Amino acid sequence: MSVRTESTAPHRAGFACFVGRPNAGKSTLTNALVGTKVAITSNRPQTTRHTVRGIVHRPEAQLVLVDTPGLHKPRTLLGERLNDVVRTTWSEVDVIGFCLPADQKLGPGDRYIAAELAAIKKTPKVAIVTKTDLVDSKALATQLLAIDQLGKELGIEWAEIIPVSAVGDSQVSLLADLLVPLLPESPALYPEGDLTDEPEQVMVAELIREAALEGVRDELPHSIAVVVEEMLPREDRPADKPLLDIHANVYIERPSQKGIIIGPKGKRLKEVGTKSRKHIEALLGTPVFLDLHVKVAKDWQRDPKQLRKLGF
């Protein structure tokens, strides 16, 4: 009887993406799997705009996570563009993880996404029940049955149905174990040590945007865009004391929103700077001087020219 050893098993590598309605725990799950903060997480729906890839390195496999914006019924031009991005991504990945929070009954939003998923025939689909730390075992069992039933109704054959809690780290590595066999045989796609292939400027912009979203009133989440104008090492610094100058603009849609972002006597903007600077320094591994300015880009979400300028 021949026992197959580790070294002879084929190496697998490929792309997976997590889908689900806004706030279903997609970004948190990406971060838990990669083990480093790569995707922007916020307790506000609709904050992930860029396809941020997290990369899970294993001796036998490499799993590249593509984080897509939540699919939703579009209300603006930006919404339509985001939905196009989502569908294109779904058809190009090797496996799709559909995230459904354990603590919320399946709703019309979930059905809308599941129906879209059913139309993508070839890609294997895994149902991931997130936030299991928030419910008891009876509620979890009910949710698992409901998801199984949803698949049957729409003709989706789930490759797996997996409960996880990214917060409690419960079963996150099991999830990776189950996703890996669904990937094609392939050498590694990225060098060891890479966690994401997003350009640094985009990630820095996302970290600033995340800090700007914290604690802001409900009318702002979609109205904030951040563009990093430049990132330059400060000249005349000794080699052992480098400093990176980052100049960034926070764009909002209306002058009335400026006060909300800046806060009384600039206090809020200062907090945004302090908070995001910590994350940026951790990401880049170097001290940073962050120069933030708030600018108005009138109704940018509905204006194709502005959308292009802001990177959408």
Side-chain angles (χ1 to χ4, degrees):
M1 174 177 126
S2 67
V3 177
R4 194 163 190 186
T5 59
E6 274 298 298
S7 59
T8 58
H11 187 280
R12 293 181 181 274
F15 295 86
C17 77
F18 295 138
V19 307
R21 59 191 154 95
N23 219 0
K26 303 180 291 286
S27 296
T28 308
L29 197 53
T30 301
N31 293 338
L33 276 165
V34 177
T36 305
K37 188 166 186 171
V38 287
I40 165 175
T41 56
S42 154
N43 54 9
R44 306 196 158 276
Q46 270 325 111
T47 46
T48 311
R49 287 234 181 93
H50 294 282
T51 303
V52 178
R53 297 177 176 83
I55 303 167
V56 182
H57 298 274
R58 291 192 158 198
E60 79 291 1
Q62 190 178 68
L63 178 64
V64 183
L65 302 169
V66 188
D67 200 27
T68 54
L71 189 83
H72 55 98
K73 293 200 166 73
R75 285 192 302 272
T76 60
L77 181 63
L78 173 65
E80 281 172 40
R81 289 227 182 134
L82 290 177
N83 280 359
D84 290 342
V85 170
V86 175
R87 290 193 189 87
T88 311
T89 305
W90 291 3
S91 57
E92 290 169 356
V93 297
D94 300 298
V95 57
I96 299 171
F98 183 17
C99 296
L100 298 136
D103 63 332
Q104 294 165 34
K105 279 203 160 67
L106 298 187
D110 299 314
R111 285 184 175 278
Y112 176 71
I113 294 170
E116 293 278 340
L117 278 180
I120 295 169
K121 295 291 182 219
K122 289 198 176 76
T123 318
K125 297 158 200 74
V126 173
I128 303 168
V129 188
T130 59
K131 310 187 184 186
T132 54
D133 49 306
L134 302 179
V135 298
D136 60 20
S137 54
K138 189 167 171 243
L140 179 57
T142 308
Q143 187 72 325
L144 294 173
L145 286 169
I147 292 166
D148 184 50
Q149 190 53 41
L150 178 68
K152 288 197 174 85
E153 280 170 35
L154 295 169
I156 300 173
E157 197 164 314
W158 303 118
E160 305 274 356
I161 300 179
I162 313 162
V164 297
S165 160
V167 177
D169 215 19
S170 153
Q171 291 194 292
V172 170
S173 63
L174 171 70
L175 172 62
D177 293 342
L178 294 170
L179 292 175
V180 164
L182 300 169
L183 302 177
E185 291 181 18
S186 156
L189 304 165
Y190 291 88
E192 180 76 55
D194 279 15
L195 291 175
T196 169
D197 76 348
E198 272 293 85
E200 285 177 344
Q201 272 177 258
V202 175
M203 291 187 69
V204 167
E206 287 285 275
L207 289 170
I208 295 168
R209 188 163 173 269
E210 178 177 12
L213 284 170
E214 285 288 309
V216 166
R217 293 213 299 278
D218 291 338
E219 67 268 29
L220 280 191
H222 304 295
S223 311
I224 298 176
V226 176
V227 175
V228 173
E229 297 296 340
E230 56 179 19
M231 287 170 45
L232 296 167
R234 176 85 55 96
E235 287 175 18
D236 312 326
R237 294 284 292 201
D240 58 340
K241 288 196 175 162
L243 183 68
L244 188 66
D245 283 318
I246 299 180
H247 300 278
N249 291 326
V250 179
Y251 288 96
I252 47 181
E253 292 195 295
R254 294 186 295 283
S256 61
Q257 298 170 333
K258 220 168 169 172
I260 301 174
I261 290 284
I262 295 172
K265 296 190 177 161
K267 186 167 167 257
R268 223 183 104 51
L269 189 64
K270 212 177 240 146
E271 281 166 10
V272 171
T274 308
K275 196 163 193 174
S276 56
R277 197 182 73 238
K278 279 196 194 113
H279 288 307
I280 294 165
E281 290 181 337
L283 172 77
L284 302 176
T286 177
V288 161
F289 172 79
L290 184 57
D291 176 39
L292 282 184
H293 292 273
V294 180
K295 300 195 166 184
V296 178
K298 200 167 166 338
D299 290 334
W300 63 265
Q301 293 194 51
R302 294 171 195 279
D303 176 350
K305 219 161 62 220
Q306 303 250 31
L307 279 172
R308 272 198 302 280
K309 186 181 140 200
L310 298 174
F312 299 111

